[in-house]
Amino acid sequence: MKDTLYIPGKETPNMPDYDSLCDKFKWENEFKNLERLPGGGLNIAHEAVDRHANSHLANTVALRWIRKDRSLIDFTYSDLKIQTSQFANVLEKLAIKKNDSVFSLVGRIPYLYVAALGTLKTGAVFCPMFSVFGPEPAFQRLSKGKAKVLITTTKLYQKKIKQLMPRLPLLRHILLTDAKQHIDEKVLSLSMLMDEAPDEYLISNTQPEDPALLHFTSGTTGMPKGALHVHQAVLTHYVTGKYVLDLQPGDIFWCTADPGWVTGTSYGIIAPLVNGVTNIVDEEEFDAERWYSILEEHRVNVWYTAPTAIRRLMRLDFKPLEKYDLSNLRLIHSVGEPLHAEEVIWGKKTFGMPICDNWWQTETGGIMISNYSSMEVRPGSMGKPLPGIEAAIGNIVEDKVQLLTKPMEQGHLLLKKGWPSMFRAYLDEEERYKKCFKGEWYVTGDLAKKDEDGYFWFVGRADDIIKTSGHMVGPFEVESTLMEHPAVSEAAIIGKPDPLIGELVKAFVVLKPGHERSEKTKLDIKGFSRKKLGPAVAPKEITFTDSLPKTKSGKILRRLLKARELGLPEGDKSTLE
Ligand code: ATP
Ligand code: MG
C-alpha cells in the first residue's frame, strides 16, 4: 500500500524524504540547532523553556492545561520560564544540590510540569511517578532513587506517603501542591514557597553527560528497573519531535501519556517544548467522547497515543468524523505495544490517515524506529530507524552478536550504542546494565525481523517467546491473527508447559460486545487461526476473559496471565493497572 500521509495545511513535512535525510543526517549538525547555556553547558529546561521565553515565542502558549471540568489554563513560554525558575529557587532554598533526586507523585496538574522542568534547571534529577501508585510501589522507587524531595497532594500524602516516612530517612521534604500552609518543618506548602521565591534563576551549568531524569520501566517482564538519562537526551527529543512527530511552528500537539511513563515525559513534556509548539495536557483519564472533542476543540495537529487507547476507540461502533471536525489533525502516532495492521487500517478508515506505529523503550529515552509522514506505511510494521540510529537483527552466540542479514530472519533487535538519549545506568544494577551491551550493540530484549526494504517487524519480547513443537512462536503474530477474527476484541497468548510439545500456545481472549462465550465461538476462533497460522502455531487452548491484565502504561502483562494459569507467585504487581 503506497501511502504518503501528508495532509495539506503545512507546506512540507520536516522530513520530506527518509532516504535523503538518512544520507546527510549528523547528530552534530542537529546539535547546532540547540542553543546551549551561556556557560557552554547543556540543560534540558533551557532548551525546552528559557530559550523560547527569550525569543519571539515568549507569548506562545507552551502548555495548555485542560482541567477535569474542561476549564483551561494556558501557560506561555514566558509564564513557564518564571514558574520553573521559582521552583528551581524553592529547591535551592531547600538546599537541593546537583544530582540529588526530586520525585513527584501527582496527577497531570501544572505543578508536575513546573516541577519537572524546574528541577532540571538546578541540575537535580527528576523522577515522575504515576499518582495511582500505592504506598509500596512508591516506597520502592523513592528509596531506590534516594529521593530528597517529593511533590504530591495532601490527599496522596495522607493516604500513601505519611506511613512510609520512618522508612525513608533520606526524604527531607514533601511539597504539597494544594496546602495553603506549611504543615511542619518537613511537609511544606508548595504554593507558599513559590510565592516567596524569586522568579529569576541562573540555570545550573549542566554538561551533556550530567544526569537529568530517572524513569522506571513498565515492569512488564519483571521488577521495574530504574533507567538513568542525561541532559544530552534532549537532542533525541528535539530530533524525534521534528522528524517523527513533524512538529512545526504553530502546531498544537497532544501526547496522551502520563509523565509517570517515559512517553509522558519525553513526549508529554520535553519534545514539544523543545520544538516550540503548544503542548496539550489533559488532567482526565481516557474517555472516547472527551478525547475526540479535545482533538476538535483545541485543533490538535499531531496526536501521540497508545495501542490500548486505539483499541478502546475501535471497540466503540462510532465514526468520529460524523460528529467531530478533526480537519486540523494531520498525523497520528502510537507507541508502547505492537500496533496491529488492523489498527493502522482502522485509522485510515476512521481519520483518513493510517496510525503511525513507532518503537522505543524506557532505556532508549526516545523514539528509535518509526513510520514517518512522508514514507510508505506498511501496516503491522514498526517502520524504519530514526535517521542517525543504526538498528539491526542478530543472534547472540557465546556472548557475541552475530548479525542476521537475510530479509525476515528473526533475531534480537539491536541498536548501535551511543545515541544521545541512551540510558547511562540501571540504578544499583551495574552488572545488569553491562549485560545489555554486546560489543558495539545494545541488546533491546525484543525480537524482530527486517524486510528486504529495511522495515522492521516486531515479533515479541525475548521473554515471551513460546517454544512449541520445535517452533519459536512470537506472541505478536498470533495475537494479530486472533484479532482479525470478527468476534475478538483483544487477545494475549502465553506458553503453557506441556510434556509432549514443550509449550502449548494458550490464548486469553476478550470478545467484542454481542459475541457469546460459547464452545462454538472457541472452535470458530481456533479453526480461523489454524487456517491462517497452521496447526503448530495456532492456539490449542482458549480462555475467554473480561479484560487482560495490563500495566499502567497499557502493556499486556503476559507473565501475570502465565503465573495465574500455572498457580505460581504473581511477582511484582506495582505497575498493574
Ligand atoms: P520492563 O522492561 O520492566 O519489563 P517494559 O519493557 O514494558 O517493562 P517500557 O520501557 O515502557 O517497559 O516498554 C518498552 C517495551 O514496550 C519495548 O521493549 C517493547 O517490548 C514494547 N513496545 C514499545 N513500543 C512498541 C511497538 N511499537 N511495537 C511493539 N512493541 C513495543
Ligand atoms: Mg523493557
Side-chain angles (χ1 to χ4, degrees):
M1 159 166 124
K2 179 80 190 158
D3 226 334
T4 40
L5 320 176
Y6 208 74
I7 308 280
K10 301 276 170 180
E11 301 76 52
T12 356
N14 292 328
M15 174 166 61
D17 181 64
Y18 176 76
D19 292 325
S20 32
L21 182 64
C22 286
D23 287 345
K24 64 171 198 244
F25 185 91
K26 285 203 172 72
W27 286 108
E28 308 88 90
N29 290 345
E30 294 295 338
F31 198 40
K32 290 183 195 142
N33 294 321
L34 300 180
E35 193 176 64
R36 309 202 59 177
L37 295 170
L42 178 74
N43 185 286
I44 297 177
H46 175 78
E47 302 301 333
V49 182
D50 287 25
R51 171 165 71 121
H52 302 310
N54 302 336
S55 78
H56 66 284
L57 292 176
N59 296 322
T60 297
V61 176
L63 209 99
R64 169 160 295 171
W65 182 51
I66 309 173
R67 280 203 188 94
K68 289 191 178 175
D69 66 6
R70 287 298 284 266
S71 58
L72 301 178
I73 300 191
D74 280 348
F75 298 82
T76 63
Y77 278 97
S78 176
D79 296 334
L80 212 51
K81 178 183 173 191
I82 292 172
Q83 297 223 10
T84 53
S85 293
Q86 284 175 319
F87 188 82
N89 280 315
V90 167
L91 291 185
E92 202 156 275
K93 191 172 168 201
L94 298 175
I96 292 302
K97 302 252 162 357
K98 206 169 166 186
N99 298 340
D100 282 348
S101 38
V102 175
F103 276 59
S104 66
L105 181 81
V106 71
R108 288 181 298 280
I109 59 169
Y111 268 142
L112 167 57
Y113 297 80
V114 166
L117 294 157
T119 300
L120 292 172
K121 283 188 167 181
T122 66
V125 176
F126 191 72
C127 179
M129 299 189 286
F130 281 108
S131 63
V132 287
F133 277 156
E136 213 39 49
F139 170 74
Q140 282 168 23
R141 286 160 180 79
L142 289 164
S143 58
K144 213 170 171 181
K146 301 187 174 60
K148 293 239 167 95
V149 170
L150 170 71
I151 293 102
T152 189
T153 63
T154 308
K155 195 167 150 199
L156 293 175
Y157 169 68
Q158 295 290 357
K159 224 168 106 182
K160 303 177 183 182
I161 303 299
K162 202 171 173 184
Q163 58 185 292
L164 302 174
M165 295 301 277
R167 291 162 69 199
L168 293 167
L170 298 178
L171 186 55
R172 294 210 304 248
H173 291 289
I174 312 284
L175 309 185
L176 299 179
T177 57
D178 54 347
K180 300 250 171 338
Q181 300 290 330
H182 299 324
I183 309 292
D184 53 37
E185 279 182 1
K186 234 176 165 167
V187 186
L188 306 170
S189 151
L190 179 55
S191 46
M192 268 182 83
L193 292 170
M194 289 285 278
D195 285 346
E196 294 158 6
D199 53 16
E200 296 267 338
Y201 183 81
L202 181 66
I203 296 182
S204 161
N205 190 29
T206 46
Q207 298 303 306
E209 283 300 312
D210 285 344
L213 293 158
L214 174 64
H215 283 297
F216 284 87
T217 60
S218 293
T220 313
T221 52
M223 201 61 156
K225 297 149 274 185
L228 190 68
H229 288 278
V230 295
H231 279 274
Q232 201 179 7
V234 71
L235 184 54
T236 306
H237 302 142
Y238 167 70
V239 163
T240 48
K242 178 164 141 191
Y243 295 123
V244 180
L245 303 171
D246 191 42
L247 299 174
Q248 300 199 21
D251 270 349
I252 313 282
F253 171 74
W254 184 25
C255 168
T256 58
D258 186 281
W261 176 35
V262 66
T263 307
T265 301
S266 294
Y267 296 97
I269 309 179
I270 304 168
L273 299 183
V274 171
N275 280 279
V277 303
T278 296
N279 188 31
I280 299 274
V281 173
D282 182 23
E283 189 184 6
E284 190 52 283
E285 297 308 318
F286 175 89
D287 175 281
E289 291 267 351
R290 180 178 174 105
W291 278 27
Y292 286 137
S293 65
I294 287 176
L295 290 171
E296 175 185 64
E297 185 182 330
H298 299 285
R299 301 159 183 256
V300 173
N301 305 107
V302 181
W303 181 32
Y304 195 16
T305 188
T308 25
I310 291 162
R311 278 177 221 134
R312 287 171 80 172
L313 293 173
M314 279 172 78
R315 241 175 273 165
L316 304 169
D317 194 16
F318 176 73
K319 295 194 174 68
L321 292 192
E322 287 177 2
K323 188 164 168 198
Y324 299 97
D325 172 8
L326 305 185
S327 55
N328 290 288
L329 195 59
R330 65 169 202 280
L331 192 52
I332 310 174
H333 269 277
S334 158
V335 72
E337 279 249 289
L339 190 69
H340 306 270
E342 283 278 290
E343 291 141 13
V344 179
I345 294 163
W346 174 81
K348 174 94 181 149
K349 272 198 291 206
T350 310
F351 303 105
M353 66 196 91
I355 296 164
C356 290
D357 187 21
N358 58 69
W359 176 97
W360 59 289
Q361 309 176 304
T362 308
E363 290 86 340
T364 71
I367 298 168
M368 295 283 112
I369 298 179
S370 186
N371 290 281
Y372 308 94
S373 64
S374 49
M375 192 178 82
E376 176 197 348
V377 169
R378 297 196 176 161
S381 158
M382 308 189 285
K384 294 191 186 184
L386 178 77
I389 294 295
E390 204 178 320
I393 305 294
N395 282 332
I396 312 291
V397 182
E398 290 172 1
D399 220 32
K400 289 207 171 66
V401 162
Q402 280 183 356
L403 293 183
L404 297 169
T405 47
K406 287 199 201 105
M408 294 314 252
E409 277 186 297
Q410 177 176 315
H412 286 274
L413 176 60
L414 310 166
L415 300 172
K416 183 73 78 64
K417 72 183 185 195
W419 69 95
S421 61
M422 187 179 87
F423 68 134
R424 300 303 199 264
Y426 276 138
L427 220 56
D428 298 338
E429 295 186 279
E430 208 178 319
E431 271 313 301
R432 187 176 205 163
Y433 181 75
K434 278 196 201 141
K435 269 198 188 146
C436 297
F437 296 90
K438 309 278 176 217
E440 59 188 347
W441 295 98
Y442 163 63
V443 183
T444 63
D446 286 344
L447 301 183
K449 301 175 189 176
K450 183 172 137 181
D451 70 18
E452 60 283 8
D453 297 319
Y455 283 79
F456 283 77
W457 301 77
F458 184 76
V459 171
R461 291 161 185 273
D463 286 12
D464 286 337
I465 294 299
I466 300 165
K467 296 175 194 82
T468 181
S469 311
H471 295 271
M472 301 277 274
V473 178
F476 178 52
E477 185 189 9
V478 181
E479 290 163 7
S480 291
T481 303
L482 288 168
M483 289 182 58
E484 284 169 28
H485 187 280
V488 177
S489 163
E490 261 192 307
I493 69 153
I494 60 159
K496 194 173 154 185
D498 181 281
L500 285 180
I501 55 172
E503 282 183 303
L504 166 161
V505 179
K506 158 138 203 178
F508 294 85
V509 166
V510 180
L511 291 175
K512 284 186 185 152
H515 292 271
E516 210 189 323
R517 291 182 172 197
S518 63
E519 270 314 302
K520 186 174 167 304
T521 315
K522 245 183 222 179
L523 283 175
D524 203 53
I525 297 172
K526 278 189 191 167
F528 174 86
S529 45
R530 209 169 298 142
K531 221 183 276 168
K532 294 219 160 194
L533 296 164
V537 176
K540 294 204 169 24
E541 271 184 29
I542 292 181
T543 294
F544 293 130
T545 168
D546 286 339
S547 63
L548 298 170
K550 291 195 183 125
T551 65
K552 291 181 174 64
S553 49
K555 293 154 193 286
I556 298 171
L557 280 162
R558 293 180 190 81
R559 68 173 164 91
L560 200 58
L561 285 170
K562 190 162 175 171
R564 286 175 182 168
E565 178 72 21
L566 305 181
L568 297 171
E570 296 191 348
D572 179 78
K573 288 200 290 180
S574 65
T575 62
L576 180 66
E577 172 73 350

